[in-house]
Amino acid sequence: MTSAIEVADLVVHRGARPVLHGLSCTIPEGSVTGLLGPSGSGKTTLMRAIVGVQVVRSGTVTVLGRPAGDAKLRKEIGYLTQAPSVYADLTVRENARYFAALYGLGQAEADAAVRDVGLAEAASQLVGNLSGGQRSRASLACAVVSKPKVLILDEPTVGQDPVLRDELWAQFRGLAESGSTLVVSSHVMDEANRCDRLLLIREGLLIADDTPAAVKASAGTDDLDQAFLTLIRRQGTGVPAPRATGETSEVPS
Amino acid sequence: MILLHTTGRILRQLRHDRRTVAMLVAVPTLLLTLLYFMYDSQPGVFDHIALIMLGVFPFIIMFLITSIAMLRERTTGTLERLLTTPLRKTDLLFGYGLAFGLAAAVQAGFASALAYLLLDLDTQGAAGYVVMIAVANAVLGMALGLLASAFAKTEFQAVQFMPVLAVPQLLLCGLFVPRDLMAGWLQAISDVLPLTYAVEALQEVGAHAEPTGTMWRDFGIVAGAVVVALVAAAGTLRRRTP
Ligand SMILES: Nc1ncnc2c1ncn2[C@@H]1O[C@H](COP(=O)(O)OP(=O)(O)OP(=O)(O)O)[C@@H](O)[C@H]1O
Ligand SMILES: [Mg+2]
């Protein structure tokens, strides 16, 4: 399989602090890669570097054979920011149609994207009047509307109910099957299990880069939650005491 | 194409904000009416002041609206997202220019119609030139607003750039003290402020039946200032941020 994204020795400082310290990884084309790690570990920062909006100190990020942020990549990449970034004073439909237009797409594609995220009923509502979960789906619709070759989704399912989460993941899977490469950050282990590969980041270092099954095997457990804790604790210091397994499906932070 | 879609998007945002649209039209007309009654007993003074106000209102209002709109783009993350799409920086900047230029034309049209038809404003030159200069001023305010938004982190800061950028220009443009009566250094400052030329152009329309060379030169200077401000604003749109 060819790689869609290659990150080599990436060093990123934010503010005065180093956030990523020489991170390297390869993401295969047509796959769904889960990006996991405690809060503040650098997931969003890595995604920003892949999209090409992050100032990097050293190292390279290559997307579809071009340096990240290259003008030619802008047609091929979709980015869902962690905080919804849509116009609160436009309706859902107007937002989707505007972002579709930026890719030269028409109203039909925009309306389909709105339907796909389950907002058909709310399409003519102002985004400012939506619930939190609806608002992040409106933002998601604007990211997937162009069906880009590379889709970077920062916590796309936060605040969604299990039924919707399932539908959204089916949609991500469909996009990957049609050849798109997806990178999805999440705190939910049930979602990590649906990924082809997992990248586990802790304090700006990659501590696992494998399939969910292999990650579980290397930690010697069947439970991804538990595997996660094991791998993070194996890495050493400063990790808060783990909660009992089964009690939560969140990554400790 | 992206430019026109962006213009449409900005106008749609404006349309959803009915109160802002109403105020855009109502505020200048109400203030002009106030001036009319203030100078009731001093014939000629209203003509002088109202003419300049027709050019100054759009400048101030578009400056405020644009700096807040652009600050929102920055703080809500839509700007960062836009810059990851095929949109070019010029699409965004000229999109704002077209959208708010159009809004300013409507505003100046209403204000001029009121001033000429109901408040008996009298100028030697045609009202069309007044509207043209008013729109140029609005676009100048918009361009400076786009630029100012880069230096504001909050809306509180953004609105305070208005007095910083607009009030000195108003004080020194010749409205309060004729420019040739100012101290030399004040005149020198006044010489480099674009609003000075906008006001001079309006005064030319007030005093001459046909557009004068000075009016066209001043109009050109305002247009040049718009381009400079837009280029500077483009420089503040960074695709990569720390
Ligand atoms: N704009 C910024 N300026 C300075 N430091 C920042 C900035 N944004 C993030 N950081 C710091 O960079 C580190 C990594 O942040 P990042 O947003 O990548 O974490 P994350 O893994 O996405 O966390 P979360 O799961 O909470 O979203 C954090 O320590 C954070 O405090
Ligand atoms: Mg994050």
Side-chain angles (χ1 to χ4, degrees), chain B residues 95-203:
Chain B
Y96 270 102
L98 278 179
F100 286 142
L102 200 67
V106 171
Q107 181 186 51
F110 270 98
S112 306
L114 171 96
Y116 279 96
L117 300 178
L118 291 179
L119 306 181
D120 308 317
L121 173 65
D122 192 21
T123 56
Q124 297 292 315
Y129 291 109
V130 174
V131 173
M132 177 186 84
I133 297 168
V135 171
N137 278 355
V139 176
L140 176 66
M142 186 246 23
L144 290 174
L146 285 179
L147 182 59
S149 78
F151 302 98
K153 286 221 151 42
T154 65
E155 270 131 346
F156 290 156
Q157 294 175 7
V159 291
Q160 298 200 68
F161 277 113
M162 205 279 285
V164 171
L165 274 166
V167 172
Q169 298 206 58
L170 269 181
L171 294 178
L172 295 176
C173 73
L175 175 62
F176 296 95
V177 181
R179 274 166 32 84
D180 26 341
L181 296 185
M182 286 179 197
W185 63 277
L186 284 180
Q187 251 185 63
I189 298 177
S190 165
D191 281 347
V192 297
L193 297 178
L195 210 58
T196 303
Y197 298 94
V199 166
E200 190 179 56
L202 286 166
Q203 284 167 338

Side-chain angles (χ1 to χ4, degrees), chain A residues 116-142:
Chain A
D116 286 346
V117 298
L119 282 180
E121 313 274 87
S124 42
Q125 235 172 297
L126 286 182
V127 166
N129 299 338
L130 296 179
S131 74
Q134 287 176 322
R135 195 182 298 210
S136 46
R137 276 183 282 146
S139 191
L140 179 62
C142 298

